[in-house]
Amino acid sequence: MSTFLGIPKVLSKITGAPATKAEPGVRGTHHQWVNGDPIPENTLRWGASFPEGAEVTLKNTQMRKNLGYATTTIRNKRNARVEEMPDWQDLRNAASQIKSSTMSRLPELLVQMEENVKAHGGIVHWARDAKEANEIIYSILQEKQVTEVVKVKSMVTQEINMNEYLAERGIDAFETDLAELIVQLGKDMPSHIVVPAIHRNRAEIKEIFEREMEDAPEHLEADPRALAMAARAHLRAKFLKAKVAISGSNMMVADTGALSVYESEGNGRMCLTLPETLISVVGIEKMVPSYEDIEVFSQLLPRSATGERMNPYTSFWTGVTPGDGPQEFHLILLDNGRSKTLANAVGREALNCIRCGACMNVCPVYEHVGGHAYNSVYPGPIGAILTPQLLDGRDHHDPVHTLPYASTLCGACGDACPVKIDIPGILVHLRHEITERNRGGIPSGWDIGMKVSSKVMGNGKLWGTAEKAAKLGRIVAGKDERISNVPWPVSAWTRNKDIPAPPARSFRDWLADEEKAGHEPTKAKATPAKPAGAHAAKKEEN
Amino acid sequence: MGAREDILAAVRGALKDSPYPTPEVERNYRMEGTDAPGSEPVIADMIEKLEDYNAVVVRTNEAGIEDVIADFLKGLNSVVVPHGLKDSWKEAAGRDGRTVREDSREANLTHKELDETDAVVTASRVAISLSGTIILDGEPDQGRRAITLVPDTHVVVLRASDVYPTVPQAVRILSENPTRPTTWIAGPSATADIELVRVAGVHGPRNLRVVIVD
Ligand code: SF4
């Protein structure tokens, strides 16, 4: 039986479905989207299953090299910036509580947001799904009679595949974030939510610019500065003449109606400030109740995302300001599977995500397979819990059902997450749901395995025992703390790479000792013993 | 049913079937720093953070502001100033024969005019030493957002007494006018999108020059 990450491929035979049945919205002939294919119609589910995607990306050694370098750098920077903050855990706690209370009051906050934006001269639209959002955008652009728009990097416009929708109707949407520009010119797909071109190195970028940028300077050097300046010159003219800009938003503030964009290059400010009309598409979950809540996220987001104390530019605006900036503002509030996700009592925590990317930067699976393997615009640990929920993809027919298995459950993602989303817990919960949803027929080895493991994971005492057993892994691992020879099903994973040995102490042991010693768990940084996730993350840096 | 009602009904339904816990938000994080706003350690910290972002900082007293502004603009030919900027600062901006263009919400310079202007001089609203952030909220001495964006050099005047140690302290002040268009600036424009190498200056001003006034 062929397996990958412990997901037996034969499962689909049992359920009678082909392993890589073309899903609606999946074009192209490859098992996985590869550079050069047409951009898929559905960017939440753009190719085959995760195991198949990973099989393709693991062969791309250049990409793995680029990615390994980048994630290591970003992790080190982030750790240094987090260490500076003695109140980091307090900020995380507050962020998590703010998001929970936002979700519990979401209907009233959405209405409050709508009222405040309208009161300041903005126009509010609601969109149930991607198609509806794109139709609204297109009708505004038609009314403005434009064939070009500039846009700020935004995950939600990727999610609804706006660029493709508009291109088919004769409108060019120009990406203005350097990384998104690289991806767009390279006819590529983003592979990270914060650093979309993380899988590309300078030589590849030079080549893309020379090939695709009509006004690229002659004799362009493969040097980050030279490349950035070429992008500056290329985009300046577009900024100055654009009539309409499109953005997302990092956060909406219900009690004042403010929206925000956190960015670095100033391309965001250009789009938010110079055109006559601004359209912002925002997921309904991107809300905080009150203006003071921005003080929490303004501290957590930049340090978690890029390891900076503060990103160079942050913009806040409410509706329209006479004489300053766009004089017409449209806010599109998008559902696209979010209300469905909210109904899942465990998995809905994924909606608290502020898209910082920290979870993917610490994920050993992401580091090795890269963002494209996830076959969705949301890669890494957050993608593994968000995508199947947004799409309601629990069936074995649906390639996204494999995403919750794209994890070693090492816990690093949950430890890194600034809003304390229990990503490992949700992964396990979704695996359980997938197993339950696909009952019937002859139970496979996988079904039985999942039943046992969900029992263990659902029971604190048993899980503790299992963790102790996992420590045996350290003996198997030997001196270099790598496990390379293990039996099925882990062998499917280790054939391609070594897995780090489990940490010497489990997080639960650590916490118990801390509590016994009367320490606040938040003082963890001062004590030599680190929680399991931190240990695992550190080891990956070696 | 329209999309609005559909979405609100779906969200209400999701919450009704399994209510979300509503925890009290515990704001145990630092609200204030140990040092007073504008005190020596706070200013020293602010300067360190700004220099880390490659901004150029000069500290002066009230009487020295004009000279520092003029110094920062040396070699540049044109400068935009917001209508409400102090007259003596406008005069300093125009020294050495520099062209001074005034901009206001009522009389906007065009994008092209801004693009052809070398620099901009503005005041600021508040700053945060913890993160080296300077915040503008569009008062008449700070001007429209576009003027601090398109010219390549931004000279910003910051009063020491407006430099606060923490983010919550600054947000308190901004929350007095929470619907104003607000720009937080932490260093000149920068990108790290190519191999995570930080390159200063992509689309915003490539030079940030800060006058700190004691
Ligand atoms: S899940 Fe957490 S760590 Fe991952 S992107 Fe979202 S907020 Fe960041």
Side-chain angles (χ1 to χ4, degrees), chain B residues 11 42 103 108 117 133 152 160 167 176 195 198 201-202 209 211:
Chain B
V11 173
V42 170
D103 181 274
N108 290 357
T117 308
T133 310
D152 209 14
V167 181
E176 292 163 16
E195 295 184 19
R198 190 178 171 104
V202 193
R209 294 168 184 174
V211 189

Side-chain angles (χ1 to χ4, degrees), chain A residues 467-481:
Chain A
E467 272 189 336
K468 285 200 185 84
K471 268 190 226 151
L472 291 173
R474 295 186 66 76
I475 301 163
V476 186
K479 239 190 178 159
D480 63 354
E481 296 203 337

Side-chain angles (χ1 to χ4, degrees), chain A residues 229-269:
Chain A
M229 289 310 121
R232 177 186 172 99
H234 172 71
L235 288 171
R236 181 73 39 150
K238 292 192 164 56
F239 285 132
L240 294 177
K241 70 169 205 250
K243 296 261 179 288
V244 182
I246 298 173
S247 83
S249 174
N250 293 87
M251 180 170 51
M252 305 186 283
V253 183
D255 73 346
T256 72
L259 283 98
S260 61
V261 165
Y262 291 68
E263 49 124 4
S264 286
E265 296 169 9
N267 65 306
R269 292 178 67 196

